[in-house]
Amino acid sequence: MTESQKTRVASEYAEVVILGAGPAGLVLGNLLRGAGVDCVILERSARTQLAGRARAGYLAANTVRILARHGLDDGLRRRGRPHGSCEFRTGGGRFRLDYGGLGRGERHTVYPQQQLVADLLAYYQQTGGRIEFATEALAVHGADGDRPTVTVRQPDGSPATWRASYVAGCDGRHGAARRSLPPGAVRHHRRDHGVTWLGLLAEAPPSLDAVGYAVHPRGFAGHMARTPEVTRYYLQWPAGAPAGAWSEERIWAELAQRMRTEAYGPLQRGRIVQRTVIELGSDVLEPLRHGSLLLAGDAASLISPAAAKGANLAVLEAELLAQALTSALRGGDTDALDSYSARCLTHIWRAQEFSQWMIRLLHAAPENGGETLFQDALRNSRLESLRTSRTTQDWFADHYVGI
Ligand code: RFL
C-alpha cells in the first residue's frame, strides 16, 4: 500500500484493526499474520517519520526471547549488543554493578527502538501485511458491541471507516483508542513523579562501558550507550523550561559536573541531535479492555523511562494479545481474551513499582519543605544498600532486566 492511494469510498474490513505501528502494533501484526489472522495496521505517521523516531534502546532478556520465539530477531541477533553493567556515581564515590552476573544472570540487549521498528515493519511487509501510513485513527465506535468501527483521516485528508471484529489500541498515550473509551469504562490510575528530564541524543561514542547514573546535588544525570557512534544522555531539568533553554556548551558542562568527570574521566562530546523534555509520570488503565477494544503498550500504561520498561512491556503485551485474539478468532475460545487484562496488569504494576523505586533512587526529593532532608537520607541509604548488600543487588538485577 502506498501513501498516494486514492480515497476509499466504501468501508473496509479486517478481523483485527491495529492502531499504531510502534513496537506493540508491529509485534501484534506480525504474530497475528503468522497465525493466519487477517489484520491491518493504521499508522498516523508517514513511513519516513516512523523510521526516524529514536526512543528506547535497552531490551530485556524476555523481549529478546519473545522476538526469537517468533523469528523476529534477525537484526537484533546481528546488531544488538549484550549489556550487563551499570555504574552509580555519588558524592561518596562510585560503584559498579555487573548485573548480568547477579540475580537470574540476565542481560539487556542494546538495540535502538527505531531499528527494531524498521525490522518489524520489514518482516510484516515481506509477508504481505497490510499497513496504511499517514492514516490517522480519529475514533473507535461501537466497542461495546461485536462490530466495532474505526473512523480515519486518510493521507489526502478524506475520511474513511474500517470495520473489524476487534480493535487493538497500540497508538500510544495520545492515541484514538484511549480517547474513545467512554467515561467510566476503565479506571485511570495516574502518578506525576514531580521530576522532569531532558533526554538528549548525542552523535558521540559512549563515554563508559556501562549505563551511568549520577546522583548529584545539582540533579540527576544519566549516560546510556545506543550505538558505537550515538549516546543517550539524560539531565534532570527545571520544570517548565523549554528543551532549547541551554546551549550545547552548557549542557556538556552540566553533564560533566554531575557525572564528576574531574574524578572519573571526561565525556566524549559530539553534536546533540535530539532534545526531548520528559515529565516523569506514570499511568495505568484498568482493565485494558472495553468490549472489542483492547489496549497494549503505551496506550495501556505509560511508564517513566527511568527503568527502561516501556518498549519491553509493549512487546510482552503484544504477544499475550496476539495469543488471546488468535484463540478467540480461530478456536472460538475467549478465555484468554477475558484474562488478557489481568495477565498484563501483573507485569505492568511490577514494572511501575520498580520504576518508582528507581526514581527515588536517582533524584533529590522534590522541594517539599522539611521532608527533603529525610528523603535524601533515605535515598542515600538505598544507594548504600545497593552498593553493599548482595541480596539487594540480586533483587535489583532481577527487576532491572526482568519484566
Ligand atoms: P509507540 O512507540 O508510541 O507507537 C505508537 C504508534 O501509534 C501511532 N499513533 C497513531 N496511529 C494512528 N492513529 C492515531 N490516532 C495515532 N496516534 C498515535 C504513533 O505514530 C506511533 O507510531 O507506542 P508502543 O508501540 O506502545 O511502544 C511503546 C514504546 O515506544 C515506549 O514505551 C518506549 O519508547 C519507552 N522508552 C523506553 N522503553 C524501554 O523499554 N527501554 C528504553 O530504554 C526506553 N527508553 C523510552 C526510552 C521512551 C522515551 N521517551 C521519548 C519518552 C527513552 C525515551 C527518551
Side-chain angles (χ1 to χ4, degrees), residues 90 215 361 375-385:
T90 74
V215 175
L361 184 78
Q375 291 192 11
D376 283 353
L378 289 182
R379 179 189 57 173
N380 292 340
S381 169
R382 219 172 264 138
L383 280 163
E384 186 58 10
S385 173

Side-chain angles (χ1 to χ4, degrees), residues 20 23-24 43-45 53 55-57 113 137 171 234 297-298 308 310-312:
E43 168 55 49
R44 182 181 58 186
S45 306
R53 203 184 289 139
R55 298 178 85 184
Q113 180 168 326
D171 50 348
Y234 292 109
D298 281 7
N312 293 298

Side-chain angles (χ1 to χ4, degrees), residues 188-211:
H188 194 163
H189 309 278
R190 286 192 192 87
R191 167 142 300 182
D192 172 0
H193 298 292
V195 176
T196 306
W197 281 3
L198 182 68
L200 302 158
L201 267 190
E203 282 178 345
S207 298
L208 59 159
D209 60 354
V211 174

Side-chain angles (χ1 to χ4, degrees), residues 13 22 24 47 52 95 132 200 212 219 229 232 256 295 320 352 390 403:
Y13 173 81
R47 180 189 245 289
F95 63 93
E132 303 280 354
L200 302 158
E229 300 83 27
R232 187 175 275 295
L295 307 175
L320 291 175
Q352 292 285 4
R390 175 68 198 241
I403 197 84

